[in-house]
């Protein structure tokens, strides 16, 4: 059975109402990245960081998966599909997808600042008064810029045995996630689904690249129908 590896970015959740990070009106434009998503920001002004993620957590609880999330979950029922996401939302899981690999962490989890293996499900505001079981401050379970990406190695290994890769809703500008397609076998078909495609180096050099200049809710079902015929 062909193995399909899916790499999703913020554009996957755009039609669910969650803002993307770059481009007009992007989330980061609302906040300077340096102000909220770096270890330095956490050291300097943790309350600002907490407030930024509390806003995003509240918003996440008010939105729903879109038809592209559901189309991928349905594909997983009958095919070998692994979803690797740069997104910290739980919309893939809420649509029914299993074993989603989160490269950049998860918004609905927090972790101890003393023992990073102490991770807690968390769907309310996080404050500086909340404590882990060891009595230490809790932080968002998010990979901040400049921090180590623990799921990168497993993601690379999965990509190395992909027969088909779908890249959905990512500007492919943030490394190391943006380098992942380079690890797919040379013969793999790569479908890049994005209404405003921006091809990074790793995508441009792929021999079997198919650019689908569409929104996720249109492009994902169309590509899946094409794959079902081929497989
Ligand atoms: N459907 C599909 N793609 C869309 C849609 C849509 N409806 N709307 C926008 N897009 C595309 C944009 O054209 C853009 O290429 O989604 C992409 C979003 O790119 P970014 O905002 O850069 O998001 P992403 O690639 O996921 O960023 C990667 O950067 O800020 C960090 O950790 C953060 O995980 C994030 C990482």
């Amino acid at each position: 059975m062909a193995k399909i590896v899916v790499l999703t970015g913020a554009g996957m959740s755009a039609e669910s109402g969650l803002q993307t990070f770059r481009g007009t009106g992007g989330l980061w434009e609302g906040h300077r990245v340096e102000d909220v998503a770096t270890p330095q920001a956490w050291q300097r002004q943790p309350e600002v960081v907490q407030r930024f993620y509390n806003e995003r957590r509240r918003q996440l609880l008010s939105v729903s998966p879109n038809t592209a999330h559901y189309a991928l979950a349905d594909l997983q029922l009958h095919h070998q599909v692994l979803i690797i996401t740069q997104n910290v939302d739980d919309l893939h899981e809420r649509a029914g997808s299993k074993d989603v690999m989160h490269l950049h962490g998860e918004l609905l989890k927090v972790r101890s600042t003393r023992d990073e293996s102490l991770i807690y499900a968390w769907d309310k505001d996080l404050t500086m008064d909340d404590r882990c079981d060891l009595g230490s401050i809790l932080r968002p379970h998010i990979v901040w810029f400049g921090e180590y990406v623990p799921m990168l190695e497993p993601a690379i290994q999965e990509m190395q045995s992909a027969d088909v890769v779908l890249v959905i809703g990512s500007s492919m500008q943030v490394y190391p996630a943006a380098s992942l397609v380079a690890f797919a076998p040379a013969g793999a078909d790569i479908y890049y689904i994005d209404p405003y495609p921006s091809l990074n180096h790793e995508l441009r050099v792929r021999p079997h690249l198919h650019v689908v200049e569409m929104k996720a809710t249109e492009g994902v079902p169309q590509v899946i129908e094409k794959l079902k015929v081929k497989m």
Side-chain angles (χ1 to χ4, degrees):
M1 176 182 281
K3 177 174 179 179
I4 303 169
V5 175
V6 184
L7 174 64
T8 63
M12 181 80 203
S13 301
E15 290 160 273
S16 293
L18 296 182
Q19 290 171 302
T20 60
F21 295 102
R22 287 160 198 89
T24 52
L27 188 64
W28 296 130
E29 288 175 0
H31 295 273
R32 278 169 31 83
V33 166
E34 295 68 28
D35 295 345
V36 287
T38 62
Q40 295 73 16
W42 174 250
Q43 292 308 319
R44 197 174 54 241
Q45 41 185 18
E47 295 80 2
V48 171
V49 175
Q50 297 285 33
R51 196 161 48 245
F52 173 70
Y53 286 99
N54 286 342
E55 278 170 23
R56 294 179 65 195
R57 203 176 291 111
R58 274 189 231 128
Q59 189 194 28
L60 175 54
L61 297 175
S62 69
V63 301
S64 306
N66 60 56
T67 48
H69 292 106
Y70 286 110
L72 289 179
D74 179 67
L75 184 66
Q76 261 188 331
L77 296 176
H78 310 291
H79 295 79
Q80 188 186 357
V81 179
L82 171 81
I83 296 175
I84 301 168
T85 187
Q86 299 171 84
N87 299 338
V88 295
D89 63 54
D90 65 336
L91 297 179
H92 282 302
E93 291 89 343
R94 278 200 256 156
S97 283
K98 305 285 183 231
D99 308 324
V100 176
M101 205 180 261
H102 284 270
L103 286 177
H104 294 160
E106 298 179 64
L107 196 49
L108 296 181
K109 290 181 180 171
V110 298
R111 70 167 186 260
S112 165
T113 50
R114 183 146 146 217
D115 174 355
E116 65 180 19
S117 68
L118 285 181
I119 299 169
Y120 305 88
W122 200 273
D123 63 2
K124 51 188 189 302
D125 281 4
L126 182 63
T127 72
M128 300 310 284
D129 300 329
D130 294 308
R131 290 284 185 274
C132 74
D133 292 333
L134 301 175
S136 296
I137 290 171
L138 291 164
R139 60 163 274 183
H141 183 50
I142 300 286
V143 177
W144 284 327
F145 286 92
E147 289 191 317
Y148 170 61
V149 181
M151 297 304 287
L152 182 67
E153 272 315 307
I156 288 172
Q157 280 178 25
E158 294 290 352
M159 191 62 86
Q160 287 172 328
S161 56
D163 297 297
V164 179
V165 178
L166 306 187
V167 179
I168 309 167
S170 177
S171 64
M172 299 298 274
Q173 288 174 28
V174 175
Y175 289 79
S179 66
L180 272 174
V181 285
F183 294 94
D189 280 307
I190 313 278
Y191 292 87
Y192 179 65
I193 302 169
D194 193 309
Y196 319 104
S198 61
L199 301 184
N200 68 1
H201 170 72
E202 288 81 359
L203 280 169
R204 272 197 307 275
V205 300
R206 293 299 310 192
H208 306 291
L209 175 66
H210 312 270
V211 178
V212 179
E213 201 162 335
M214 287 181 187
K215 291 184 172 186
T217 55
E218 293 152 23
V220 172
Q222 276 198 31
V223 168
I224 286 176
E225 282 319 303
K226 189 183 294 186
L227 290 176
K228 282 180 176 173
V229 168
K230 287 172 78 170
M231 281 190 267

